[in-house]
Amino acid sequence: MSRTVFCRKYQKELDGLDFPPMPGKKGQELFDTISKQAWEEWQAQQTMLINEKHLSLMDPNTRKYLQAQMEHFFDNEPFDQAEGYVPPEQ
């Protein structure tokens, strides 16, 4: 049986992550407050930002930028979108 968390993005009980998505205090906070659905959606957004903006994860400023965007995403605040992205037609 999967665990549930009160997801801070969707403000309701949803399936939680199977393990903290990163080490340390921040990873534990995400594990306790973010649903699996919200994390998967953030992963897709993060991938688009990295690809469209040609970001290098070797750059500490890039990692800080992505962490800030992640917080905005999970708090339902405006966050940077990948410019020019057009979703595939169904």
Side-chain angles (χ1 to χ4, degrees):
M1 187 170 162
S2 63
R3 62 185 271 285
T4 61
V5 296
F6 185 80
C7 180
R8 82 183 211 215
K9 178 159 182 66
Y10 293 109
Q11 296 294 301
K12 62 182 178 181
E13 289 284 329
L14 292 167
D15 287 343
L17 297 168
D18 296 327
F19 51 86
M22 59 183 66
K25 192 174 181 179
K26 179 47 96 179
Q28 188 62 45
E29 176 191 329
L30 294 171
F31 182 70
D32 294 337
T33 63
I34 298 299
S35 67
K36 192 178 287 191
Q37 175 186 347
W39 182 254
E40 289 170 358
E41 289 173 9
W42 165 247
Q43 291 293 103
Q45 287 294 328
Q46 177 179 251
T47 299
M48 283 191 287
L49 286 173
I50 291 167
N51 290 340
E52 296 296 322
K53 294 182 178 285
H54 306 287
L55 301 176
S56 169
L57 295 176
M58 298 295 288
D59 181 357
N61 291 326
T62 293
R63 293 192 301 270
K64 287 179 188 173
Y65 164 77
L66 288 172
Q67 185 153 356
Q69 296 309 307
M70 176 183 73
E71 293 298 325
H72 294 309
F73 178 81
F74 289 141
D75 291 335
N76 293 310
E77 298 171 351
F79 63 95
D80 285 353
Q81 302 283 325
E83 295 99 24
Y85 174 75
V86 178
E89 292 187 25
Q90 300 282 344

